[in-house]
Amino acid sequence: MKTLAGVWPFLLLFGLIIGGLYAKLFTPTEAAGMGAGLAILIATFHGKLNWSVLRTIVIDTAYTSVSLYTVLFGALMLSKLLTLSGLAGGVLALVQSTGLEGTALILAIMCVFLVLGCVMDSMAIILIFVPLFAPIVVAQGFDLVWFGIIVIVVTEIALITPPVGMNVFVLKAVLPDVPVVRIFKGLIPFIGVDIVRLAILIAFPAITLWLGSTVG
């Protein structure tokens, strides 16, 4: 208990973010800002934040932001090219031509998303391809909330898959001395676990819908 007394700031931070989200006090984006603000206050309270440290934080944040926006800009340019080239419609036609139905169709769509995630930004995938596949999913009798959740899981996997994995470049900016190849190798077990989680959510849709069904 004496040792746990030193982790109260982290519990407070967790409680503010998660509690505020579930209490509908703020949106996820606002929760990120609230969390960052509270973290600054906690660091100041503990005497670990001075002007020198704050300057270093601001500079590191600027470097990380520029790196991320460079990758994001390239990903958005690529997604625009794919849209203008008609690839999105071609992918939709390819999936429809397979004649698959039910779970087999969902698995095919998820495979498409996983492949796209290797070369496209997750937001671009959602904006371009989800509207194309949503009518097919509804026609097959699947719940769109469930479909949205598994799409989010797939795009999360895309965030750590080469070569555009956004989270990998975040980690690289924080650890500049670690080679990108080593980071990707270290992510292999996490990618494997994520794929298992995705398979479970597809096989048992009730898992994704149960919590929401208990609200209201």
Side-chain angles (χ1 to χ4, degrees), residues 86-99 105 109 112-113 116 128-137:
L87 178 64
V91 170
L92 176 62
L94 177 64
V95 174
Q96 289 177 321
S97 66
T98 60
L105 176 64
I109 294 175
V112 170
F113 281 164
L116 292 173
I128 295 174
F129 289 95
V130 169
L132 294 176
F133 288 121
I136 301 176
V137 172

Side-chain angles (χ1 to χ4, degrees), residues 16-216:
L16 173 71
I17 297 174
I18 302 302
L21 286 174
Y22 276 93
K24 299 181 180 179
L25 298 178
F26 36 67
T27 65
T29 302
E30 293 168 347
M34 294 291 292
L38 181 59
I40 291 176
L41 292 177
I42 292 174
T44 304
F45 177 78
H46 282 277
K48 296 183 179 180
L49 184 65
N50 51 43
W51 287 111
S52 177
V53 174
L54 183 61
R55 179 177 179 274
T56 301
I57 292 173
V58 172
I59 293 175
D60 288 345
T61 301
Y63 279 129
T64 302
S65 299
V66 171
S67 301
L68 290 179
Y69 275 102
T70 301
V71 176
L72 181 60
F73 177 75
L76 291 176
M77 290 291 290
L78 176 60
S79 67
K80 179 65 69 175
L81 174 63
L82 295 178
T83 302
L84 295 175
S85 67
L87 178 64
V91 170
L92 176 62
L94 177 64
V95 174
Q96 289 177 321
S97 66
T98 60
L100 297 175
E101 296 181 354
T103 304
L105 176 64
I106 296 297
L107 290 175
I109 294 175
M110 293 301 102
C111 288
V112 170
F113 281 164
L114 286 173
V115 173
L116 292 173
C118 294
V119 294
M120 290 180 63
D121 175 66
S122 58
M123 186 58 65
I125 296 174
I126 292 174
L127 293 177
I128 295 174
F129 289 95
V130 169
L132 294 176
F133 288 121
I136 301 176
V137 172
V138 173
Q140 291 288 324
F142 291 106
D143 188 280
L144 276 182
V145 175
W146 168 76
F147 180 68
I149 291 174
I150 62 175
V151 166
I152 290 174
V153 173
V154 172
T155 53
E156 285 178 350
I157 298 174
L159 288 174
I160 57 175
T161 52
V164 188
M166 189 73 69
N167 286 350
V168 175
F169 289 95
V170 173
L171 191 57
K172 175 63 178 177
V174 177
L175 303 171
D177 297 330
V178 180
V180 175
V181 174
R182 182 179 176 186
I183 295 176
F184 277 123
K185 288 182 179 179
L187 287 172
I188 292 176
F190 296 94
I191 296 174
V193 171
D194 272 334
I195 293 176
V196 171
R197 176 181 58 162
L198 177 63
I200 293 174
L201 293 178
I202 293 176
F204 305 101
I207 295 177
T208 62
L209 302 176
W210 173 79
L211 183 60
S213 65
T214 61
V215 179

